[in-house]
PDB file of all heavy atoms in Angstrom:
ATOM      1  N   ILE D  11       0.826  -1.212   0.007  1.00 98.00           N
ATOM      2  CA  ILE D  11      -0.002  -0.001  -0.001  1.00 98.00           C
ATOM      3  C   ILE D  11       0.878   1.260  -0.003  1.00 98.00           C
ATOM      4  O   ILE D  11       0.643   2.189  -0.798  1.00 98.00           O
ATOM      5  CB  ILE D  11      -0.954  -0.018   1.210  1.00 98.00           C
ATOM      6  CG1 ILE D  11      -2.048  -1.069   1.013  1.00 98.00           C
ATOM      7  CG2 ILE D  11      -1.589   1.367   1.405  1.00 98.00           C
ATOM      8  CD1 ILE D  11      -2.967  -1.252   2.202  1.00 98.00           C
ATOM      9  N   GLU D  12       1.860   1.295   0.851  1.00 98.00           N
ATOM     10  CA  GLU D  12       2.695   2.523   0.957  1.00 98.00           C
ATOM     11  C   GLU D  12       3.542   2.715  -0.281  1.00 98.00           C
ATOM     12  O   GLU D  12       3.773   3.871  -0.672  1.00 98.00           O
ATOM     13  CB  GLU D  12       3.559   2.469   2.240  1.00 98.00           C
ATOM     14  CG  GLU D  12       2.736   2.546   3.499  1.00 98.00           C
ATOM     15  CD  GLU D  12       3.569   2.777   4.764  1.00 98.00           C
ATOM     16  OE1 GLU D  12       4.814   2.701   4.670  1.00 98.00           O
ATOM     17  OE2 GLU D  12       2.994   3.040   5.822  1.00 98.00           O
ATOM     18  N   THR D  13       3.987   1.663  -0.910  1.00 98.00           N
ATOM     19  CA  THR D  13       4.766   1.804  -2.161  1.00 98.00           C
ATOM     20  C   THR D  13       3.894   2.398  -3.256  1.00 98.00           C
ATOM     21  O   THR D  13       4.335   3.276  -4.015  1.00 98.00           O
ATOM     22  CB  THR D  13       5.337   0.431  -2.582  1.00 98.00           C
ATOM     23  OG1 THR D  13       6.173  -0.092  -1.564  1.00 98.00           O
ATOM     24  CG2 THR D  13       6.141   0.580  -3.873  1.00 98.00           C
ATOM     25  N   GLU D  14       2.640   1.940  -3.363  1.00 98.00           N
ATOM     26  CA  GLU D  14       1.744   2.509  -4.354  1.00 98.00           C
ATOM     27  C   GLU D  14       1.425   3.955  -4.034  1.00 98.00           C
ATOM     28  O   GLU D  14       1.337   4.789  -4.935  1.00 98.00           O
ATOM     29  CB  GLU D  14       0.460   1.675  -4.432  1.00 98.00           C
ATOM     30  CG  GLU D  14       0.665   0.284  -5.029  1.00 98.00           C
ATOM     31  CD  GLU D  14       1.329   0.328  -6.390  1.00 98.00           C
ATOM     32  OE1 GLU D  14       0.879   1.103  -7.256  1.00 98.00           O
ATOM     33  OE2 GLU D  14       2.307  -0.419  -6.583  1.00 98.00           O
ATOM     34  N   LEU D  15       1.248   4.285  -2.760  1.00 98.00           N
ATOM     35  CA  LEU D  15       1.014   5.679  -2.391  1.00 98.00           C
ATOM     36  C   LEU D  15       2.218   6.542  -2.763  1.00 98.00           C
ATOM     37  O   LEU D  15       2.059   7.673  -3.213  1.00 98.00           O
ATOM     38  CB  LEU D  15       0.766   5.802  -0.872  1.00 98.00           C
ATOM     39  CG  LEU D  15      -0.552   5.216  -0.342  1.00 98.00           C
ATOM     40  CD1 LEU D  15      -0.630   5.437   1.172  1.00 98.00           C
ATOM     41  CD2 LEU D  15      -1.758   5.835  -1.039  1.00 98.00           C
ATOM     42  N   ALA D  16       3.419   5.993  -2.587  1.00 98.00           N
ATOM     43  CA  ALA D  16       4.616   6.733  -2.976  1.00 98.00           C
ATOM     44  C   ALA D  16       4.634   6.999  -4.474  1.00 98.00           C
ATOM     45  O   ALA D  16       4.977   8.114  -4.933  1.00 98.00           O
ATOM     46  CB  ALA D  16       5.866   5.960  -2.559  1.00 98.00           C
ATOM     47  N   ARG D  17       4.242   5.997  -5.256  1.00 98.00           N
ATOM     48  CA  ARG D  17       4.221   6.179  -6.724  1.00 98.00           C
ATOM     49  C   ARG D  17       3.227   7.290  -7.102  1.00 98.00           C
ATOM     50  O   ARG D  17       3.434   8.001  -8.088  1.00 98.00           O
ATOM     51  CB  ARG D  17       3.805   4.889  -7.396  1.00 98.00           C
ATOM     52  CG  ARG D  17       4.778   3.746  -7.290  1.00 98.00           C
ATOM     53  CD  ARG D  17       4.317   2.575  -8.149  1.00 98.00           C
ATOM     54  NE  ARG D  17       4.858   1.308  -7.677  1.00 98.00           N
ATOM     55  CZ  ARG D  17       6.077   0.874  -7.905  1.00 98.00           C
ATOM     56  NH1 ARG D  17       6.894   1.651  -8.630  1.00 98.00           N
ATOM     57  NH2 ARG D  17       6.502  -0.282  -7.434  1.00 98.00           N
ATOM     58  N   GLY D  18       2.151   7.386  -6.384  1.00 98.00           N
ATOM     59  CA  GLY D  18       1.115   8.364  -6.721  1.00 98.00           C
ATOM     60  C   GLY D  18       1.285   9.730  -6.051  1.00 98.00           C
ATOM     61  O   GLY D  18       0.386  10.572  -6.190  1.00 98.00           O
ATOM     62  N   SER D  19       2.369   9.937  -5.333  1.00 98.00           N
ATOM     63  CA  SER D  19       2.593  11.187  -4.634  1.00 98.00           C
ATOM     64  C   SER D  19       3.485  12.118  -5.419  1.00 98.00           C
ATOM     65  O   SER D  19       4.440  11.694  -6.074  1.00 98.00           O
ATOM     66  CB  SER D  19       3.232  10.915  -3.266  1.00 98.00           C
ATOM     67  OG  SER D  19       2.404  10.136  -2.446  1.00 98.00           O
ATOM     68  N   MET D  20       3.185  13.395  -5.344  1.00 97.00           N
ATOM     69  CA  MET D  20       4.092  14.392  -5.922  1.00 97.00           C
ATOM     70  C   MET D  20       5.372  14.414  -5.090  1.00 97.00           C
ATOM     71  O   MET D  20       5.341  14.186  -3.875  1.00 97.00           O
ATOM     72  CB  MET D  20       3.446  15.783  -5.903  1.00 97.00           C
ATOM     73  CG  MET D  20       2.327  15.967  -6.883  1.00 97.00           C
ATOM     74  SD  MET D  20       1.896  17.712  -7.112  1.00 97.00           S
ATOM     75  CE  MET D  20       1.192  18.099  -5.515  1.00 97.00           C
ATOM     76  N   ASP D  21       6.499  14.712  -5.740  1.00 97.00           N
ATOM     77  CA  ASP D  21       7.731  14.811  -4.960  1.00 97.00           C
ATOM     78  C   ASP D  21       7.789  16.178  -4.266  1.00 97.00           C
ATOM     79  O   ASP D  21       6.962  17.067  -4.497  1.00 97.00           O
ATOM     80  CB  ASP D  21       8.957  14.558  -5.842  1.00 97.00           C
ATOM     81  CG  ASP D  21       9.181  15.642  -6.910  1.00 97.00           C
ATOM     82  OD1 ASP D  21       8.874  16.818  -6.683  1.00 97.00           O
ATOM     83  OD2 ASP D  21       9.697  15.272  -7.998  1.00 97.00           O
ATOM     84  N   ARG D  22       8.783  16.341  -3.399  1.00 97.00           N
ATOM     85  CA  ARG D  22       8.853  17.538  -2.560  1.00 97.00           C
ATOM     86  C   ARG D  22       9.085  18.812  -3.365  1.00 97.00           C
ATOM     87  O   ARG D  22       8.644  19.887  -2.957  1.00 97.00           O
ATOM     88  CB  ARG D  22       9.930  17.352  -1.499  1.00 97.00           C
ATOM     89  CG  ARG D  22       9.576  16.308  -0.464  1.00 97.00           C
ATOM     90  CD  ARG D  22      10.693  16.041   0.513  1.00 97.00           C
ATOM     91  NE  ARG D  22      10.363  14.942   1.410  1.00 97.00           N
ATOM     92  CZ  ARG D  22       9.735  15.078   2.585  1.00 97.00           C
ATOM     93  NH1 ARG D  22       9.393  16.277   3.000  1.00 97.00           N
ATOM     94  NH2 ARG D  22       9.440  14.030   3.323  1.00 97.00           N
ATOM     95  N   VAL D  23       9.797  18.713  -4.462  1.00 97.00           N
ATOM     96  CA  VAL D  23      10.019  19.907  -5.280  1.00 97.00           C
ATOM     97  C   VAL D  23       8.713  20.344  -5.936  1.00 97.00           C
ATOM     98  O   VAL D  23       8.385  21.530  -5.969  1.00 97.00           O
ATOM     99  CB  VAL D  23      11.120  19.632  -6.336  1.00 97.00           C
ATOM    100  CG1 VAL D  23      11.244  20.826  -7.285  1.00 97.00           C
ATOM    101  CG2 VAL D  23      12.464  19.362  -5.646  1.00 97.00           C
ATOM    102  N   GLU D  24       7.957  19.379  -6.468  1.00 97.00           N
ATOM    103  CA  GLU D  24       6.655  19.721  -7.047  1.00 97.00           C
ATOM    104  C   GLU D  24       5.734  20.366  -6.035  1.00 97.00           C
ATOM    105  O   GLU D  24       5.010  21.341  -6.328  1.00 97.00           O
ATOM    106  CB  GLU D  24       5.969  18.481  -7.598  1.00 97.00           C
ATOM    107  CG  GLU D  24       6.585  17.893  -8.850  1.00 97.00           C
ATOM    108  CD  GLU D  24       5.824  16.672  -9.320  1.00 97.00           C
ATOM    109  OE1 GLU D  24       5.903  15.623  -8.655  1.00 97.00           O
ATOM    110  OE2 GLU D  24       5.131  16.761 -10.331  1.00 97.00           O
ATOM    111  N   MET D  25       5.764  19.857  -4.805  1.00 96.00           N
ATOM    112  CA  MET D  25       4.873  20.374  -3.768  1.00 96.00           C
ATOM    113  C   MET D  25       5.207  21.789  -3.356  1.00 96.00           C
ATOM    114  O   MET D  25       4.386  22.469  -2.713  1.00 96.00           O
ATOM    115  CB  MET D  25       4.942  19.454  -2.546  1.00 96.00           C
ATOM    116  CG  MET D  25       4.212  18.124  -2.713  1.00 96.00           C
ATOM    117  SD  MET D  25       2.424  18.307  -2.925  1.00 96.00           S
ATOM    118  CE  MET D  25       1.952  18.880  -1.265  1.00 96.00           C
ATOM    119  N   ARG D  26       6.390  22.293  -3.730  1.00 96.00           N
ATOM    120  CA  ARG D  26       6.743  23.667  -3.392  1.00 96.00           C
ATOM    121  C   ARG D  26       6.031  24.674  -4.272  1.00 96.00           C
ATOM    122  O   ARG D  26       5.987  25.862  -3.958  1.00 96.00           O
ATOM    123  CB  ARG D  26       8.270  23.866  -3.532  1.00 96.00           C
ATOM    124  CG  ARG D  26       9.088  23.032  -2.536  1.00 96.00           C
ATOM    125  CD  ARG D  26      10.562  23.400  -2.598  1.00 96.00           C
ATOM    126  NE  ARG D  26      10.796  24.740  -2.069  1.00 96.00           N
ATOM    127  CZ  ARG D  26      11.124  25.787  -2.785  1.00 96.00           C
ATOM    128  NH1 ARG D  26      11.272  25.665  -4.100  1.00 96.00           N
ATOM    129  NH2 ARG D  26      11.329  26.964  -2.200  1.00 96.00           N
ATOM    130  N   ASP D  27       5.487  24.238  -5.405  1.00 96.00           N
ATOM    131  CA  ASP D  27       4.841  25.144  -6.353  1.00 96.00           C
ATOM    132  C   ASP D  27       3.357  25.277  -6.007  1.00 96.00           C
ATOM    133  O   ASP D  27       2.598  24.327  -6.154  1.00 96.00           O
ATOM    134  CB  ASP D  27       5.005  24.581  -7.765  1.00 96.00           C
ATOM    135  CG  ASP D  27       4.511  25.560  -8.833  1.00 96.00           C
ATOM    136  OD1 ASP D  27       3.812  26.540  -8.479  1.00 96.00           O
ATOM    137  OD2 ASP D  27       4.805  25.330 -10.024  1.00 96.00           O
ATOM    138  N   PRO D  28       2.910  26.469  -5.564  1.00 96.00           N
ATOM    139  CA  PRO D  28       1.498  26.611  -5.196  1.00 96.00           C
ATOM    140  C   PRO D  28       0.536  26.305  -6.318  1.00 96.00           C
ATOM    141  O   PRO D  28      -0.575  25.816  -6.083  1.00 96.00           O
ATOM    142  CB  PRO D  28       1.378  28.069  -4.736  1.00 96.00           C
ATOM    143  CG  PRO D  28       2.607  28.756  -5.256  1.00 96.00           C
ATOM    144  CD  PRO D  28       3.667  27.726  -5.359  1.00 96.00           C
ATOM    145  N   ALA D  29       0.947  26.540  -7.558  1.00 96.00           N
ATOM    146  CA  ALA D  29       0.021  26.253  -8.690  1.00 96.00           C
ATOM    147  C   ALA D  29      -0.222  24.757  -8.838  1.00 96.00           C
ATOM    148  O   ALA D  29      -1.298  24.365  -9.269  1.00 96.00           O
ATOM    149  CB  ALA D  29       0.619  26.824  -9.991  1.00 96.00           C
ATOM    150  N   LYS D  30       0.774  23.944  -8.483  1.00 97.00           N
ATOM    151  CA  LYS D  30       0.646  22.500  -8.623  1.00 97.00           C
ATOM    152  C   LYS D  30      -0.128  21.855  -7.504  1.00 97.00           C
ATOM    153  O   LYS D  30      -0.464  20.664  -7.585  1.00 97.00           O
ATOM    154  CB  LYS D  30       2.031  21.860  -8.767  1.00 97.00           C
ATOM    155  CG  LYS D  30       2.742  22.224 -10.069  1.00 97.00           C
ATOM    156  CD  LYS D  30       4.071  21.518 -10.178  1.00 97.00           C
ATOM    157  CE  LYS D  30       4.750  21.858 -11.518  1.00 97.00           C
ATOM    158  NZ  LYS D  30       6.063  21.169 -11.655  1.00 97.00           N
ATOM    159  N   ARG D  31      -0.374  22.592  -6.449  1.00 97.00           N
ATOM    160  CA  ARG D  31      -1.131  22.018  -5.333  1.00 97.00           C
ATOM    161  C   ARG D  31      -2.466  22.737  -5.102  1.00 97.00           C
ATOM    162  O   ARG D  31      -2.986  22.758  -3.990  1.00 97.00           O
ATOM    163  CB  ARG D  31      -0.287  22.012  -4.066  1.00 97.00           C
ATOM    164  CG  ARG D  31       0.236  23.348  -3.603  1.00 97.00           C
ATOM    165  CD  ARG D  31       0.995  23.238  -2.273  1.00 97.00           C
ATOM    166  NE  ARG D  31       1.255  24.532  -1.711  1.00 97.00           N
ATOM    167  CZ  ARG D  31       2.409  25.196  -1.797  1.00 97.00           C
ATOM    168  NH1 ARG D  31       3.436  24.636  -2.428  1.00 97.00           N
ATOM    169  NH2 ARG D  31       2.554  26.400  -1.230  1.00 97.00           N
ATOM    170  N   TYR D  32      -3.003  23.325  -6.168  1.00 98.00           N
ATOM    171  CA  TYR D  32      -4.276  24.046  -6.043  1.00 98.00           C
ATOM    172  C   TYR D  32      -5.219  23.596  -7.146  1.00 98.00           C
ATOM    173  O   TYR D  32      -5.064  23.907  -8.324  1.00 98.00           O
ATOM    174  CB  TYR D  32      -4.047  25.556  -6.172  1.00 98.00           C
ATOM    175  CG  TYR D  32      -5.253  26.403  -5.892  1.00 98.00           C
ATOM    176  CD1 TYR D  32      -5.670  26.638  -4.559  1.00 98.00           C
ATOM    177  CD2 TYR D  32      -5.975  26.989  -6.915  1.00 98.00           C
ATOM    178  CE1 TYR D  32      -6.759  27.441  -4.303  1.00 98.00           C
ATOM    179  CE2 TYR D  32      -7.098  27.782  -6.633  1.00 98.00           C
ATOM    180  CZ  TYR D  32      -7.455  27.993  -5.333  1.00 98.00           C
ATOM    181  OH  TYR D  32      -8.562  28.786  -5.058  1.00 98.00           O
ATOM    182  N   HIS D  33      -6.204  22.767  -6.737  1.00 98.00           N
ATOM    183  CA  HIS D  33      -7.196  22.247  -7.668  1.00 98.00           C
ATOM    184  C   HIS D  33      -8.554  22.218  -6.958  1.00 98.00           C
ATOM    185  O   HIS D  33      -8.817  21.287  -6.206  1.00 98.00           O
ATOM    186  CB  HIS D  33      -6.841  20.831  -8.168  1.00 98.00           C
ATOM    187  CG  HIS D  33      -5.423  20.701  -8.642  1.00 98.00           C
ATOM    188  ND1 HIS D  33      -4.380  20.348  -7.804  1.00 98.00           N
ATOM    189  CD2 HIS D  33      -4.874  20.858  -9.871  1.00 98.00           C
ATOM    190  CE1 HIS D  33      -3.266  20.297  -8.477  1.00 98.00           C
ATOM    191  NE2 HIS D  33      -3.537  20.599  -9.733  1.00 98.00           N
ATOM    192  N   ILE D  34      -9.370  23.219  -7.182  1.00 98.00           N
ATOM    193  CA  ILE D  34     -10.674  23.302  -6.527  1.00 98.00           C
ATOM    194  C   ILE D  34     -11.643  22.368  -7.256  1.00 98.00           C
ATOM    195  O   ILE D  34     -11.833  22.482  -8.474  1.00 98.00           O
ATOM    196  CB  ILE D  34     -11.211  24.730  -6.530  1.00 98.00           C
ATOM    197  CG1 ILE D  34     -10.242  25.668  -5.778  1.00 98.00           C
ATOM    198  CG2 ILE D  34     -12.585  24.774  -5.871  1.00 98.00           C
ATOM    199  CD1 ILE D  34     -10.043  25.331  -4.326  1.00 98.00           C
ATOM    200  N   MET D  35     -12.257  21.459  -6.519  1.00 98.00           N
ATOM    201  CA  MET D  35     -13.209  20.498  -7.075  1.00 98.00           C
ATOM    202  C   MET D  35     -14.445  20.406  -6.224  1.00 98.00           C
ATOM    203  O   MET D  35     -14.366  20.574  -4.992  1.00 98.00           O
ATOM    204  CB  MET D  35     -12.571  19.093  -7.158  1.00 98.00           C
ATOM    205  CG  MET D  35     -11.349  18.999  -8.040  1.00 98.00           C
ATOM    206  SD  MET D  35     -10.740  17.279  -8.103  1.00 98.00           S
ATOM    207  CE  MET D  35      -9.334  17.458  -9.216  1.00 98.00           C
ATOM    208  N   THR D  36     -15.551  20.162  -6.859  1.00 98.00           N
ATOM    209  CA  THR D  36     -16.762  19.892  -6.108  1.00 98.00           C
ATOM    210  C   THR D  36     -16.631  18.511  -5.472  1.00 98.00           C
ATOM    211  O   THR D  36     -15.799  17.684  -5.908  1.00 98.00           O
ATOM    212  CB  THR D  36     -17.999  19.903  -7.021  1.00 98.00           C
ATOM    213  OG1 THR D  36     -17.902  18.819  -7.948  1.00 98.00           O
ATOM    214  CG2 THR D  36     -18.113  21.232  -7.763  1.00 98.00           C
ATOM    215  N   ILE D  37     -17.444  18.242  -4.471  1.00 98.00           N
ATOM    216  CA  ILE D  37     -17.401  16.917  -3.826  1.00 98.00           C
ATOM    217  C   ILE D  37     -17.748  15.835  -4.840  1.00 98.00           C
ATOM    218  O   ILE D  37     -17.116  14.749  -4.851  1.00 98.00           O
ATOM    219  CB  ILE D  37     -18.364  16.859  -2.636  1.00 98.00           C
ATOM    220  CG1 ILE D  37     -18.057  17.997  -1.631  1.00 98.00           C
ATOM    221  CG2 ILE D  37     -18.299  15.508  -1.951  1.00 98.00           C
ATOM    222  CD1 ILE D  37     -16.610  18.005  -1.134  1.00 98.00           C
ATOM    223  N   ALA D  38     -18.668  16.126  -5.727  1.00 98.00           N
ATOM    224  CA  ALA D  38     -19.025  15.128  -6.762  1.00 98.00           C
ATOM    225  C   ALA D  38     -17.829  14.829  -7.656  1.00 98.00           C
ATOM    226  O   ALA D  38     -17.600  13.680  -8.056  1.00 98.00           O
ATOM    227  CB  ALA D  38     -20.190  15.651  -7.590  1.00 98.00           C
ATOM    228  N   GLU D  39     -17.041  15.867  -7.989  1.00 98.00           N
ATOM    229  CA  GLU D  39     -15.871  15.658  -8.844  1.00 98.00           C
ATOM    230  C   GLU D  39     -14.812  14.833  -8.108  1.00 98.00           C
ATOM    231  O   GLU D  39     -14.158  13.978  -8.714  1.00 98.00           O
ATOM    232  CB  GLU D  39     -15.302  17.020  -9.271  1.00 98.00           C
ATOM    233  CG  GLU D  39     -16.166  17.770 -10.273  1.00 98.00           C
ATOM    234  CD  GLU D  39     -15.684  19.173 -10.535  1.00 98.00           C
ATOM    235  OE1 GLU D  39     -15.052  19.764  -9.624  1.00 98.00           O
ATOM    236  OE2 GLU D  39     -15.931  19.672 -11.640  1.00 98.00           O
ATOM    237  N   VAL D  40     -14.650  15.081  -6.830  1.00 98.00           N
ATOM    238  CA  VAL D  40     -13.672  14.290  -6.067  1.00 98.00           C
ATOM    239  C   VAL D  40     -14.138  12.831  -5.974  1.00 98.00           C
ATOM    240  O   VAL D  40     -13.328  11.904  -6.086  1.00 98.00           O
ATOM    241  CB  VAL D  40     -13.484  14.879  -4.660  1.00 98.00           C
ATOM    242  CG1 VAL D  40     -12.468  14.055  -3.866  1.00 98.00           C
ATOM    243  CG2 VAL D  40     -13.049  16.330  -4.721  1.00 98.00           C
ATOM    244  N   GLU D  41     -15.435  12.640  -5.822  1.00 97.00           N
ATOM    245  CA  GLU D  41     -15.945  11.261  -5.710  1.00 97.00           C
ATOM    246  C   GLU D  41     -15.824  10.508  -7.039  1.00 97.00           C
ATOM    247  O   GLU D  41     -15.760   9.295  -7.039  1.00 97.00           O
ATOM    248  CB  GLU D  41     -17.382  11.266  -5.203  1.00 97.00           C
ATOM    249  CG  GLU D  41     -17.478  11.695  -3.740  1.00 97.00           C
ATOM    250  CD  GLU D  41     -18.859  11.617  -3.153  1.00 97.00           C
ATOM    251  OE1 GLU D  41     -19.830  11.796  -3.934  1.00 97.00           O
ATOM    252  OE2 GLU D  41     -18.984  11.400  -1.931  1.00 97.00           O
ATOM    253  N   LYS D  42     -15.780  11.244  -8.150  1.00 98.00           N
ATOM    254  CA  LYS D  42     -15.528  10.597  -9.447  1.00 98.00           C
ATOM    255  C   LYS D  42     -14.105  10.077  -9.513  1.00 98.00           C
ATOM    256  O   LYS D  42     -13.854   9.049 -10.148  1.00 98.00           O
ATOM    257  CB  LYS D  42     -15.780  11.576 -10.586  1.00 98.00           C
ATOM    258  CG  LYS D  42     -17.257  11.858 -10.888  1.00 98.00           C
ATOM    259  CD  LYS D  42     -17.407  12.773 -12.083  1.00 98.00           C
ATOM    260  CE  LYS D  42     -18.873  13.050 -12.368  1.00 98.00           C
ATOM    261  NZ  LYS D  42     -19.043  13.970 -13.518  1.00 98.00           N
TER     262      LYS D  42
END
């Protein structure tokens, strides 16, 4: 489980960019 989570995680450099960590979604969109 943790290895797959690692594969699907942004790296620390990507996470420093506010544009890359800002995605407003409705609850319905998140549930999709």
Side-chain angles (χ1 to χ4, degrees):
I11 289 175
E12 292 191 351
T13 300
E14 291 305 311
L15 291 180
R17 294 187 204 281
S19 298
M20 290 194 291
D21 66 33
R22 292 175 186 270
V23 174
E24 288 181 289
M25 286 295 291
R26 296 186 69 250
D27 187 347
K30 292 183 178 180
R31 58 176 191 260
Y32 188 78
H33 311 89
I34 301 297
M35 298 182 178
T36 65
I37 304 305
E39 289 172 332
V40 181
E41 289 184 331
K42 285 183 180 179

